[in-house]
Amino acid sequence: MKNRFVSFFCFLASVSVFAQKDSIVNYLEEVYVVADKRNKQEALVQKRIVFNAETIVKNPTNFTSLLRYNSPIVFKDFGNGGTSSARFRGTSASNTVVLWNGININSVGSGQTDFNSLSANTADQIIIKSGGSSLQYGSGSIGGAVHLKDVLTFEPHKDYQFFSSYGSFNTTSNFFKSNYGGGKWAIKVAGVFNKSNNDYEYIDDRYTDEDGDSWKNENGNYINYGIDFSLGCKFSDVNKIYFYSTGYYGDRLFSNGLPNPSAGSERNEDFNQRNLLKWLYKFGGFTQLLNASFITQEYRYYADKDAGDFDFGKSQKALLDYSLAYKLSTFWSLKYLMLIESTHGETNKIESKVRNAFSYGGIVTFKPSSKLISTLGVRKEYNSDFEVPLSVSLSGEQKLGGCIWLKANVSANYRVPTYNEMYWPIAGNKDLIPEHSKQGELGVELEKYGFKLNATFFYIKIKDKIIWRPVRNSNLWTPVNLDAAVNKGAELFLSYSKKINRHSFHFSGNYICTIAKDSETKKQLPYAPIHLMNYTMEYGYKRVKMYLQDLYQSSVYTNRLALDFYSLAPVRVLNLGVDIAICKNNKKTLVLGGKVNNFTNELYYFTNLRPMPGRNYAININYKF
Amino acid sequence: MKTTKLIFKLFLFNLVLISCNDNDKPGLEEFLDRYENGIMISSEGNFGDKDGSLSFVAGDYSFASNFLYKEVNGAQLGGLVQSVAFDDENAYIILNDVSTIVVADRYTLEKKSVIMAGLENPRYMTIFNGKGYITNWGKGADETDDYIAVLDLASNSIEESSKIALDNGVERILAKDNKLYVSHNGGWSSNNIISVIDLVDNSVGEITVNDNPDDIFFTTSGDLVVLCKGKPLVYGAPPNYDVVEATTSSISFVDVSTKTVFKSLEFSKNIRGTIMSYSEGNIYYYSDNRVYKISETATELGADGLDVGDIYGMRAKNDKLYTLEYAFSELSKLRIIDYETESDLYATAVGLGASKIYFN
């Protein structure tokens, strides 16, 4: 009894959380919550969902739809394929961090990632991590993080995958991936190509053209392609070096939506290039990891696609990320972290600006038994532009009974003002200070009889939120540190798998309830649905597999007034798919698939008067060899 | 195992605690068959959010109602409501950001037609002789593509061939004696002219005034009054970004027969008049949170104004002042004030970004 008391005390007192950046995750077949690795060095509290190619091929057209049907993230996209931003737990789009192999790739200008301007189809793993983690990822990690990972393994293997899908509106999504391991070397080469006319019919019959016919999504075409190359070299078990490189080009037109689709004339181009060199070296109880990265991003925005002139934004970021871990004793381990970052950004409206940041931190992990692990971490950033608050994280995990883990975390996180917010001509506000948050979460994780359940309660208090506000007597909008908000709620993940003879059944789903209120108005924040639910249910018999995807999002307000007039109706979308394995053996799998998206032909919106597609179809081929 | 149970109880308890409650409803939900003998207010909404709206307040203030068009038609207007023009039967609701005009019954607000072709960044419309004349910016950044679109009110279609090209930054438009008068506020930049279009031969003349002419009216004696707002040169510090330096702002009087400015009441240096209304021989103008009233025969600007706070729209009629609070992140407030007694007659919340007042 005493022991239990002591360990429970330790648990409550425990601090922090720090998932290793290179944490090894089991390569599973479906969406799942990461099972705990009890041999881990650090407590891992935040809920994580991982998915891989098997999930990707169910929603291959864009990253937004992939995550919309498989994660607890809420998206706001300007019509299918349009600009798309992500929100965790009712926080803002710039509170969501996107990491590519551990490197933050949010836009320097907006502090956000447009989830329709990158492709995730060739990622080996996508990890969705709810909850703040500025300790690990720095600025912007208030709501949660989305990780894209290329996995290089040295065990001898040759895996190739080719996927191609074609469907309504002349939409095609294709990728090719090859992963090779040869003992000393590991290589990955992948390519992706997506294209669509995207001229779907607007099925909202309240808005029609002069003849009473439906409008189409005019000016919505897109094309994008990318290539990945990664190389790993294992000099020895303790000395490995990795190089990752990727390039992406996207060319989209932005549709105007209702009531006047014919007025659409905007076009946007994206050019992204990223490189990362990673060196892992272990010596005498120490493990050191060095990341050196260089990232360039550029967009070109054409208000009129037929005119030659465009607005542009360019950025280059160079960073050096170093960590050194040391196992002190059986119970204690330490880690030191350091990050040097130099960002250079400019647009045709903002002259070239350089921002330098240096941060360092430390993490202590205490693991007295296999049933308890706790971690405390602190990180301090020095930024050339402003004072940055301290990030602190304290977390603990305690095993209760045979199959239940209880997890708790408190942390302080932040988001620094972006280039646009600070430097946009006239409107930019150089007096801005970073947004900062304090959060706590308590979760239980349970795994038994094929069930996996993860329930997390969260509480986030965000202060000095940066909000763009109109300026009186002008057409100007300017960002100010204005609002405070409290977001609380519960996040639930459930999965279940069962096989009986040749029948297989699988379910995995998310539900999140978010009460996100402006501290002043006490009203629900814009674009924060109280309820979000999605699940995939799959039934397989022999070589045939059928699946249903279901998405429900409750009504959202489109501004802070929280009135019905300024709101979007609840969304319910159902997709139905079938996969038939034509050939399946140890070496090769050839699967033909078909899918009906939105088979009930429901009208739904994620932004006002920009309808999403009605019923539409796709067929695909998925060949692994 | 006791701890486990406790934790689970806490878990369930928490679920109950945060189970989600409903939002509050707006207060104004009264609707009529006909919206007449009252005040129609158009609210812009936010640019790009497509959430402009119409409100109505009964003339005797017995009720007020918001978001009317959606209530009547089950659909949204779907854009930034820049302005509304009326003829005897119809309201022509001009949506700037989506380049659309929605034609609805003036009193029931039932949708009749939607006009899109031939419009680009439409601003204001005046009706003359069975035609609607609509000022259009063209592309905002292009200073050479401004024009007047001509709408045939019988067929509700734009007559492409009648399009009248004009100098940069067209704004308000009035029709009188077979002529159109257009103020050039300057669009995204600045301008300083009034265009006069002779509808007999579509010839265009220009009258130079001070910078950024916006509101225009005809006095009872037939002169054109122009509010020149002055061009902002330097903005102050955040978060208010007040205009601290500007070119000369004035209320200018134009003799339309000679096309000359015969009187110009100029504001002090860097002081700007930004909204103007005209009623029965009197000019009401708004400058730095105050509304001043002067006679159209005045030779100098007013001395004592009425403090009305931060407003975005204003109209005067029979010495009653109707003001719309500047509000793009809140509902705007309509205030009706007796100008002489300075007493508040009525106030109510209208739409987001309310900007124009019409008597219906």
Side-chain angles (χ1 to χ4, degrees):
Chain A
M1 195 58 213
K2 201 179 174 189
N3 273 347
R4 168 149 287 182
F5 177 76
V6 170
S7 64
F8 191 61
F9 178 78
C10 286
F11 167 70
L12 289 176
S14 68
V15 206
S16 141
V17 118
F18 192 75
Q20 279 170 275
K21 272 185 186 169
D22 56 336
S23 60
I24 298 142
V25 180
N26 280 345
Y27 200 79
L28 293 189
E29 289 264 52
E30 285 297 339
V31 180
Y32 66 103
V33 167
V34 175
D36 282 291
K37 307 296 164 305
R38 285 310 129 196
N39 55 357
K40 280 188 74 62
Q41 293 300 305
E42 284 146 4
L44 173 86
V45 164
Q46 288 135 329
K47 197 195 76 179
R48 307 202 305 165
I49 297 176
V50 176
F51 37 90
N52 61 19
E54 295 303 315
T55 310
I56 290 170
V57 297
K58 289 195 172 85
N59 300 91
T61 51
N62 57 48
F63 200 14
T64 303
S65 73
L66 173 63
L67 297 182
R68 189 169 262 157
Y69 287 97
N70 296 289
S71 80
I73 308 173
V74 172
F75 285 88
K76 176 192 176 191
D77 50 357
F78 286 75
N80 189 42
T83 322
S84 169
S85 59
R87 289 164 172 78
F88 276 94
R89 297 177 171 180
T91 61
S92 60
S94 55
N95 292 165
T96 302
V97 161
V98 179
L99 300 127
W100 168 77
N101 292 310
I103 306 298
N104 183 332
I105 57 167
N106 278 10
S107 148
V108 167
S110 68
Q112 310 175 6
T113 288
D114 175 354
F115 282 74
N116 285 337
S117 78
L118 77 167
S119 178
N121 289 356
T122 54
D124 297 304
Q125 260 178 18
I126 298 165
I127 303 178
I128 310 301
K129 203 167 171 186
S130 304
S133 49
S134 286
L135 173 66
Q136 296 161 263
Y137 309 123
S139 172
S141 192
I142 288 179
V146 175
H147 299 245
L148 300 176
K149 289 195 172 187
D150 296 307
V151 178
L152 289 173
T153 44
F154 297 100
E155 291 80 55
H157 69 288
K158 279 182 196 166
D159 294 325
Y160 304 100
Q161 184 182 10
F162 171 76
F163 175 86
S164 179
S165 119
Y166 181 81
S168 306
F169 329 122
N170 212 7
T171 303
T172 177
S173 313
N174 314 274
F175 66 87
F176 173 76
K177 222 165 77 165
S178 64
N179 294 65
Y180 164 83
K184 186 174 181 186
W185 296 93
I187 301 170
K188 174 183 171 177
V189 178
V192 60
F193 175 77
N194 300 303
K195 186 176 188 295
S196 177
N197 292 351
N198 203 21
D199 53 349
Y200 55 91
E201 191 180 302
Y202 289 164
I203 55 173
D204 193 333
D205 56 17
R206 294 171 298 173
Y207 307 90
T208 51
D209 67 10
E210 297 116 49
D211 306 324
D213 294 331
S214 297
W215 288 105
K216 281 193 164 186
N217 188 47
E218 290 179 42
N219 206 61
N221 325 17
Y222 64 80
I223 180 169
N224 61 66
Y225 41 87
I227 186 157
D228 304 336
F229 173 74
S230 317
L231 184 68
C233 181
K234 183 165 123 180
F235 298 108
S236 72
D237 281 346
V238 296
N239 189 3
K240 296 170 194 168
I241 194 157
Y242 303 87
F243 174 72
Y244 305 87
S245 180
T246 180
Y248 172 90
Y249 171 74
D251 187 0
R252 280 180 292 173
L253 301 182
F254 289 151
S255 63
N256 206 47
L258 291 168
N260 187 2
S262 59
S265 68
E266 296 166 297
R267 175 185 173 205
N268 192 78
E269 284 180 291
D270 288 288
F271 310 79
N272 298 325
Q273 217 279 313
R274 304 190 277 267
N275 307 290
L276 168 67
L277 190 66
K278 188 176 192 167
W279 179 41
L280 182 71
Y281 185 58
K282 294 180 186 171
F283 57 100
F286 288 95
T287 302
Q288 73 168 9
L289 181 68
L290 180 72
N291 283 319
S293 178
F294 184 73
I295 297 171
T296 63
Q297 299 190 336
E298 181 180 350
Y299 71 81
R300 287 180 186 172
Y301 167 78
Y302 304 74
D304 178 6
K305 64 184 175 189
D306 299 322
D309 54 330
F310 55 84
D311 289 335
F312 68 85
K314 283 184 199 179
S315 68
Q316 289 107 40
K317 185 159 86 173
L319 65 85
L320 210 59
D321 181 358
Y322 176 76
S323 73
L324 182 68
Y326 180 64
K327 199 157 168 51
L328 211 60
S329 72
T330 357
F331 293 169
W332 295 91
S333 49
L334 303 172
K335 192 172 194 174
Y336 170 78
L337 328 154
M338 191 181 81
L339 175 71
I340 305 169
E341 197 175 77
S342 179
T343 311
H344 169 164
E346 67 177 306
T347 78
N348 56 318
K349 296 201 164 69
I350 300 174
E351 57 182 291
S352 168
K353 296 276 178 196
V354 177
R355 178 183 286 180
N356 295 311
F358 168 72
S359 59
Y360 68 98
I363 291 159
V364 186
T365 301
F366 175 56
K367 190 184 169 192
S369 77
S370 64
K371 291 185 170 184
L372 175 71
I373 181 164
S374 61
T375 303
L376 169 67
V378 179
R379 173 195 177 119
K380 176 66 189 165
E381 175 176 332
Y382 297 93
N383 190 300
S384 57
D385 287 357
F386 26 64
E387 283 280 310
V388 177
L390 198 68
S391 312
V392 184
S393 177
L394 174 67
S395 62
E397 297 180 25
Q398 165 80 62
K399 194 171 189 179
L400 298 168
C403 59
I404 298 169
W405 280 88
L406 185 64
K407 304 169 161 200
N409 164 251
V410 286
S411 64
N413 307 295
Y414 66 95
R415 197 273 281 184
V416 299
T418 66
Y419 273 50
N420 291 355
E421 288 162 348
M422 303 247 324
Y423 307 124
W424 200 259
I426 306 173
N429 182 353
K430 294 196 179 64
D431 298 334
L432 290 174
I433 58 168
E435 294 181 354
H436 50 103
S437 76
K438 290 187 175 60
Q439 73 151 47
E441 60 181 85
L442 183 66
V444 278
E445 200 179 284
L446 190 148
E447 200 175 330
K448 209 162 192 179
Y449 310 122
F451 281 102
K452 277 177 197 155
L453 170 77
N454 187 312
T456 308
F457 295 100
F458 59 88
Y459 178 93
I460 312 170
K461 189 167 187 168
I462 310 174
K463 283 189 174 166
D464 295 316
K465 282 183 84 165
I466 299 171
I467 308 282
W468 287 77
R469 281 289 155 86
V471 176
R472 63 197 199 107
N473 297 330
S474 77
N475 299 320
L476 274 181
W477 284 65
T478 187
V480 277
N481 287 105
L482 197 65
D483 293 1
V486 172
N487 301 7
K488 55 189 174 184
E491 220 172 87
L492 199 73
F493 174 87
L494 180 69
S495 78
Y496 176 69
S497 289
K498 185 82 184 168
K499 262 191 178 158
I500 305 170
N501 301 325
R502 307 183 90 171
H503 300 269
S504 66
F505 177 78
H506 180 77
F507 173 92
S508 85
N510 295 282
Y511 167 73
I512 174 166
C513 174
T514 311
I515 309 295
K517 290 198 170 162
D518 184 299
S519 300
E520 185 197 324
T521 65
K522 305 289 178 207
K523 287 174 179 162
Q524 183 79 2
L525 297 176
Y527 296 101
I530 292 176
H531 306 283
L532 175 78
M533 179 203 70
N534 57 49
Y535 65 82
T536 301
M537 208 155 50
E538 203 172 272
Y539 167 71
Y541 177 67
K542 292 185 182 172
R543 291 180 167 208
V544 181
K545 219 186 242 182
M546 287 179 70
Y547 60 93
L548 172 76
Q549 291 186 321
D550 188 353
L551 170 71
Y552 172 77
Q553 178 183 302
S554 62
S555 178
V556 294
Y557 296 117
T558 55
N559 61 35
R560 70 197 293 265
L561 294 177
L563 293 175
D564 284 349
F565 180 74
Y566 303 105
S567 71
L568 302 174
V571 169
R572 181 86 193 270
V573 195
L574 295 162
N575 304 330
L576 205 56
V578 60
D579 286 335
I580 301 163
I582 299 296
C583 127
K584 199 168 189 174
N585 61 38
N586 285 344
K587 284 212 68 104
K588 288 178 186 174
T589 346
L590 175 63
V591 178
L592 295 182
K595 196 179 173 200
V596 187
N597 292 307
N598 189 10
F599 67 84
T600 55
N601 205 31
E602 205 66 36
L603 170 67
Y604 64 109
Y605 287 95
F606 291 107
T607 40
N608 190 28
L609 294 181
R610 293 174 186 276
M612 296 296 282
R615 186 183 304 116
N616 64 89
Y617 308 88
I619 48 166
N620 66 68
I621 175 169
N622 187 4
Y623 184 39
K624 289 184 192 173
F625 53 105
Chain B
M1 269 338 264
K2 263 191 173 169
T3 326
T4 320
K5 275 183 186 162
L6 176 69
I7 297 300
F8 261 97
K9 275 182 186 165
L10 279 173
F11 174 91
L12 290 173
F13 180 62
N14 255 315
L15 261 184
V16 175
L17 270 188
I18 60 164
S19 66
C20 314
N21 39 0
D22 241 4
N23 48 294
D24 19 357
K25 297 260 186 296
L28 310 165
E29 286 198 357
E30 223 177 324
F31 299 102
L32 293 180
D33 292 338
R34 286 176 75 78
Y35 298 97
E36 56 192 337
N37 302 319
I39 308 137
M40 186 82 78
I41 298 103
S42 70
S43 299
E44 294 182 357
N46 277 320
F47 189 90
D49 285 356
K50 307 182 180 187
D51 56 3
S53 62
L54 296 176
S55 302
F56 183 80
V57 176
D60 59 3
Y61 317 141
S62 56
F63 76 91
S65 205
N66 290 334
F67 314 128
L68 299 176
Y69 181 87
K70 190 180 180 194
E71 185 62 31
V72 172
N73 298 288
Q76 298 165 74
L77 285 163
L80 184 151
V81 182
Q82 178 62 39
S83 64
V84 187
F86 297 92
D87 65 10
D88 291 343
E89 266 178 57
N90 300 319
Y92 298 85
I93 303 150
I94 298 172
L95 307 177
N96 171 256
D97 56 350
V98 293
S99 297
T100 296
I101 294 179
V102 175
V103 186
D105 184 283
R106 175 173 182 160
Y107 298 109
T108 66
L109 291 179
E110 271 163 36
K111 179 176 115 176
K112 290 188 169 179
S113 180
V114 178
I115 301 153
M116 291 162 188
L119 300 171
E120 192 167 14
N121 261 316
R123 304 290 297 170
Y124 295 88
M125 168 167 150
T126 190
I127 291 169
F128 182 74
N129 228 351
K131 300 256 165 42
Y133 296 90
I134 305 136
T135 53
N136 284 265
W137 278 356
K139 291 176 180 57
D142 190 336
E143 299 187 6
T144 63
D145 64 346
D146 293 38
Y147 66 96
I148 291 174
V150 183
L151 174 69
D152 177 33
L153 301 186
S155 65
N156 278 330
S157 60
I158 300 285
E159 298 173 352
E160 271 301 326
S161 58
S162 309
K163 179 173 170 175
I164 305 160
L166 287 181
D167 199 10
N168 180 40
V170 293
E171 193 75 358
R172 311 271 178 166
I173 181 164
L174 292 177
K176 191 169 188 270
D177 302 334
N178 230 11
K179 288 194 177 74
L180 297 174
Y181 296 84
V182 177
S183 63
H184 290 249
N185 186 21
W188 285 14
S189 52
S190 178
N191 205 341
N192 65 346
I193 55 166
I194 302 289
S195 286
V196 185
I197 301 106
D198 190 331
L199 289 175
V200 176
D201 55 4
N202 272 10
S203 63
V204 179
E206 286 177 3
I207 305 163
T208 302
V209 290
N210 284 320
D211 288 341
N212 294 39
D214 190 345
D215 286 312
I216 48 176
F217 299 102
F218 280 101
T219 62
T220 36
S221 52
D223 296 324
L224 185 70
V225 193
V226 183
L227 175 69
C228 302
K229 296 190 295 187
K231 178 187 179 183
L233 297 174
V234 179
Y235 291 94
N240 287 335
Y241 296 93
D242 290 324
V243 175
V244 290
E245 267 180 53
T247 58
T248 305
S249 172
S250 69
I251 296 174
S252 300
F253 296 76
V254 178
D255 180 338
V256 293
S257 58
T258 61
K259 292 183 185 170
T260 52
V261 176
F262 66 89
K263 182 169 82 180
S264 189
L265 308 178
E266 292 189 350
F267 290 83
S268 318
K269 195 176 182 194
N270 299 327
I271 302 291
R272 304 164 71 226
T274 49
I275 314 174
M276 181 176 76
S277 181
Y278 177 84
S279 172
E280 297 168 332
N282 292 311
I283 294 163
Y284 297 77
Y285 65 89
Y286 174 69
S287 176
D288 273 345
N289 285 3
R290 287 181 172 269
V291 173
Y292 301 83
K293 174 188 173 185
I294 56 171
S295 157
E296 64 183 56
T297 57
T299 53
E300 54 187 41
L301 289 172
D304 298 312
L306 175 63
D307 191 343
V308 294
D310 215 351
I311 62 169
Y312 191 61
M314 177 188 85
R315 188 102 190 243
K317 192 182 184 186
N318 300 333
D319 232 19
K320 277 184 200 163
L321 195 64
Y322 301 76
T323 64
L324 295 168
E325 177 196 18
Y326 175 91
F328 282 85
S329 43
E330 303 292 341
L331 290 181
S332 303
K333 197 164 133 188
L334 165 76
R335 265 177 82 193
I336 305 175
I337 308 161
D338 183 313
Y339 191 83
E340 288 311 315
T341 65
E342 300 188 6
S343 55
D344 271 45
L345 302 174
Y346 184 75
T348 186
V350 289
L352 181 84
S355 72
K356 305 289 179 321
I357 294 155
Y358 303 97
F359 299 106
N360 205 28

